[in-house]
Amino acid sequence: MITEPDWIAKPGPEDLSRAYPMLALNLQIRGKAIITCNVDAFGKLKLCRVEAETPPGLGFGAAALSMAAAFQIRPQSLNGKFVEGGEVTIPLRFLPAPEEEPARPPVSSPRRLELARKLLAFSSGPDTTAAQVEDLAVQLDTAKTAIPSFGQMATALRQSYPPRAAEAREAGAGLLAATFSEKELAALVRYFSGADGAALLAAENRNPALMKKINDGLAEIARIAARDYLCDVAGCITPGANSLPELPADRGGFIAAPEWSQQPTRRVINQFRPPVSESLQIGGVARLTCVVGLIGAMEQCDVVSEAPRGVGFAAGARSLASYYRLNPSQVTQGAAGRRVAIDIAFEASTHKPPDPLPVFKARSEHALALARELLTVQDSRQGTQAALRALLDDQRKQALASGLNPADFEVLRLALDRGADVAMRQGDELTAAYLTTVLSDQQLKGLTQFWRGPVGTAWKAKSPEVIAKSAVNNAQYGRLMLVDAGAAFCKVSDCDGKSMAAHAADGQVTPANPAPSTRNP
C-alpha cells in the first residue's frame, strides 16, 4: 500500500465539479467517496474499486471512479525500468457551490407594501414551483424502498420549500412597492378587483394543466429556434458525421495510428459536455493535438479545430486530455516527444419532447381582432424579454467558467433572444384565439382601454424591471430552497464521511476540494 504517493497528476477543480452526481448537485448535498486502485508501471491507476461512499445511493462512488484516469503517481524504477507500484487509497470530497442570499429591495411604507402584496396575490396564479417540488418529492418517496435516504430527502424538500417561497413572495412585493407609487398600486388593485381584471385573471388561471402544456410547448419552440440560429452562426454538425477537416496524409512528427491504453468513457466525456449544448441539445466534436510524454501522458495540448464553434466543446476537450494515455508499447518504440491528434465527440443530450400545442378556434374574426389588439397594447413581451436577459446575466459567470468567451456568450444571448421572439409570436396568436373562448367582446375592449390608460401605461413602463429582478430573485430562492433541503438532509445523514474514518490512513493524499460546480440544476 502506498501511503505517501508522489502525485504528478491529479483531477483539477473542474474534474471534480463535472463529476458531481446530478441528483446530489440538484439537492445541494455534499458527500465523500474513497477508492482504492492498483498502480501500474507508469504510475496510472487501474482496477479501481469503491471502498466507501456517503451518503449512500447518490453516486459519489461512481463519480470518484470516473476520475481515476486523471490521477498519476510518479513511476517507480528498478535497474532503469519502471515497475508496478502497488495500491493506493484516495479519499475525495464533493462540495456544492455556495449560494448567496438575494439582495433585499429598498424599504417601502407599510401601506405600499400592503397594496403590493394584494397585487401580487392577484397576479401570482397557480404555484407551479410547488407542484414541481412535490413531483420530485413523490419520485424520491417512490425510490425510498431501494434507497431509504431518498425518503429523508423527500421530507427535507417538502419542509424547505414553504419558507423560501414566502421569502420570494415578500421580495416580489418589496420590488413592486419600491417601483410603483401608492396611487398606482391602489389603482392596479382596484382594477384587478373589478369585473374586467378579474375576468382576465380567471382566464389566465382557469386551467393550470392547460397553461403548463402551453408554456412547455412554447419553451420547446424557443429552444429549437435558438438552436437553429446558433447552428447557422456556429456551424453545427450532423450526429455521426466527420465534420472536422481531414488530417494531411503526410503528418511529419505525428503518430499516424495511436493505440490507447486508457481513454475516457462516454460517461466521463458527457460530464465535460458544455452547458449550452445540454440546454439546446447540440452535439459537437473537437480535435486536440498533444505531445506524448515520457510515460504516455498527454502534454502541451492545443485545440486545433471544433464544430460547432464557440459553444464550449474546445474547453471540454482540453479538460479531457489528462484522461488519455498512449499504449506503453508505442511509448517504448519512440512515441515520446511526438505529437498525436485526438478527436473527441460529444453526444447531443436528449429529452422527451412536450405534447403538441393545443389548438383554439376563435369564436369570430371580430373577436380575434379584438384579442390581438389587446395583446399588442398590453405588450407583455417587454417583461418576458427583460426576465430572459436578467436570467442570462445571472448565469453569465457560470457560462464563462464553463469555457465560453465573452464573444461566444453574446452569440448565445442573441440565439436565446431569437428563440424567445419566435416563441412569443406563436404564443401571442395562440393566446389571442384562447382569449376569444373565455372573454366577451366587451371584456376584450375594456381590457384594451385599461392598458391604454395612465395606470396600464405606467405598468408597461415600470413592470419589466420588476419582472426581471423577480425572475433572478426567484431563481436564487429556488436554489436556496435546495441548499436548505440538502442541509436538513445532512443533519440526519453522514454527508461529511465521519463514518468512513476507518478507511482513511494517515498520510494519504486527498485532492483539493472542487471549485463550485458550474452545472446548473
Side-chain angles (χ1 to χ4, degrees):
M1 176 67 70
I2 302 173
T3 57
E4 296 184 6
D6 182 7
W7 297 109
I8 58 174
K10 293 192 298 184
E14 185 180 8
D15 297 275
L16 286 132
S17 173
R18 297 277 189 173
Y20 214 115
M22 186 55 71
L23 177 59
L25 179 61
N26 285 347
L27 295 176
Q28 298 285 286
I29 293 173
R30 60 191 183 273
K32 186 176 181 180
I34 298 175
I35 60 174
T36 295
C37 306
N38 290 353
V39 182
D40 70 12
F42 288 85
K44 298 295 287 186
L45 308 186
K46 63 180 182 178
L47 301 177
C48 296
R49 60 189 183 274
V50 178
E51 294 287 352
E53 62 176 320
T54 189
L58 293 183
F60 287 112
L65 288 177
S66 75
M67 292 185 290
F71 285 94
Q72 190 166 17
I73 294 175
R74 189 173 305 282
Q76 306 296 310
S77 61
L78 181 64
N79 298 325
K81 293 183 178 181
F82 294 132
V83 295
E84 296 283 328
E87 282 190 341
V88 64
T89 295
I90 309 167
L92 294 120
R93 287 181 55 81
F94 295 83
L95 299 173
E99 185 64 43
E100 295 181 0
E101 294 277 345
R104 301 290 180 181
V107 177
S108 300
S109 70
R111 176 58 179 163
R112 285 168 74 175
L113 266 176
E114 178 189 2
L115 290 168
R117 292 185 188 112
K118 288 182 178 179
L119 179 59
L120 197 62
F122 281 130
S123 58
S124 293
D127 192 342
T128 55
T129 304
Q132 292 171 349
V133 170
E134 181 58 26
D135 285 346
L136 178 56
V138 169
Q139 293 175 36
L140 291 169
D141 272 336
T142 303
K144 69 182 180 182
T145 53
I147 305 176
S149 62
F150 279 15
Q152 297 168 339
M153 287 185 212
T155 300
L157 269 177
R158 291 186 175 107
Q159 292 175 345
S160 64
Y161 176 72
R164 287 299 185 182
E167 285 184 294
R169 286 193 298 271
E170 190 63 14
L175 287 170
L176 284 170
T179 305
F180 292 90
S181 69
E182 183 176 323
K183 182 178 178 181
E184 290 167 337
L185 289 169
L188 285 163
V189 169
R190 279 196 305 272
Y191 178 75
F192 285 111
S193 301
D196 287 350
L200 178 61
L201 294 175
E204 292 176 345
N205 301 326
R206 177 171 298 179
N207 189 333
L210 177 62
M211 293 298 106
K212 182 180 185 304
K213 184 177 181 179
I214 291 173
N215 290 335
D216 289 347
L218 292 176
E220 179 71 357
I221 289 171
R223 183 193 67 78
I224 293 171
R227 182 194 63 192
D228 291 347
Y229 176 86
L230 190 66
C231 287
D232 286 343
V233 174
C236 291
I237 66 170
T238 301
N242 184 6
S243 300
L244 296 181
E246 288 287 337
L247 288 165
D250 180 19
R251 290 176 284 165
F254 273 78
I255 300 171
E259 298 173 4
W260 303 109
S261 63
Q262 178 180 288
Q263 54 188 322
T265 64
R266 177 54 50 193
R267 179 183 186 274
V268 170
I269 290 174
N270 286 343
Q271 289 173 357
F272 288 85
R273 188 164 48 197
V276 176
S277 77
E278 290 272 6
S279 58
L280 299 183
Q281 297 179 10
I282 297 172
V285 62
R287 174 173 293 154
L288 292 171
T289 64
C290 305
V291 174
V292 178
L294 291 175
I295 53 179
M298 299 299 104
E299 302 174 355
Q300 303 175 39
C301 294
D302 297 311
V303 177
V304 294
S305 56
E306 65 171 330
R309 304 176 305 277
V311 177
F313 292 111
R318 192 178 290 108
S319 298
L320 285 163
S322 62
Y323 290 80
Y324 286 85
R325 181 175 56 131
L326 202 65
N327 194 304
S329 63
Q330 287 189 304
V331 176
T332 57
Q333 292 171 15
R338 298 177 62 189
R339 295 195 75 85
V340 62
I342 309 171
D343 287 358
I344 303 177
F346 298 84
E347 296 174 343
S349 61
T350 59
H351 76 279
K352 181 182 177 182
D355 294 332
L357 284 170
V359 177
F360 301 104
K361 182 175 176 57
R363 55 184 167 80
S364 72
E365 284 299 320
H366 178 65
L368 186 60
L370 290 174
R372 287 170 175 159
E373 183 182 11
L374 167 61
L375 293 175
T376 300
V377 173
Q378 188 179 18
D379 195 17
S380 60
R381 285 192 192 184
Q382 289 190 55
T384 303
Q385 290 170 332
L388 173 63
R389 293 185 182 115
L391 288 170
L392 276 172
D393 287 339
D394 184 49
Q395 295 295 322
R396 188 176 190 274
K397 183 178 179 180
Q398 293 183 1
L400 297 183
S402 72
L404 288 181
N405 61 47
D408 294 336
F409 185 79
E410 289 309 310
V411 172
L412 173 62
R413 183 193 294 276
L414 286 173
L416 294 177
D417 275 346
R418 179 69 60 89
D421 183 64
V422 170
M424 283 188 288
R425 280 190 276 112
Q426 293 195 36
D428 282 350
E429 194 62 20
L430 185 73
T431 302
Y434 168 69
L435 289 177
T436 69
T437 68
V438 293
L439 297 175
S440 68
D441 287 1
Q442 183 178 355
Q443 287 171 324
L444 290 168
K445 290 177 182 178
L447 287 164
T448 300
Q449 184 177 2
F450 168 77
W451 289 112
R452 281 196 171 121
V455 179
T457 300
W459 174 264
K460 288 184 291 183
K462 298 179 180 180
S463 64
E465 180 182 358
V466 175
I467 293 170
K469 289 180 179 179
S470 293
V472 174
N473 277 357
N474 290 342
Q476 288 178 301
Y477 280 115
R479 294 192 293 266
L480 286 169
M481 181 268 295
L482 296 174
V483 171
D484 294 344
F489 171 78
C490 287
K491 286 182 179 179
V492 296
S493 301
D494 181 17
C495 297
D496 297 311
K498 295 177 181 177
S499 62
M500 299 165 60
H503 292 278
D506 292 340
Q508 292 173 342
V509 176
T510 303
N513 287 338
S517 176
T518 58
R519 294 163 68 188
N520 194 20

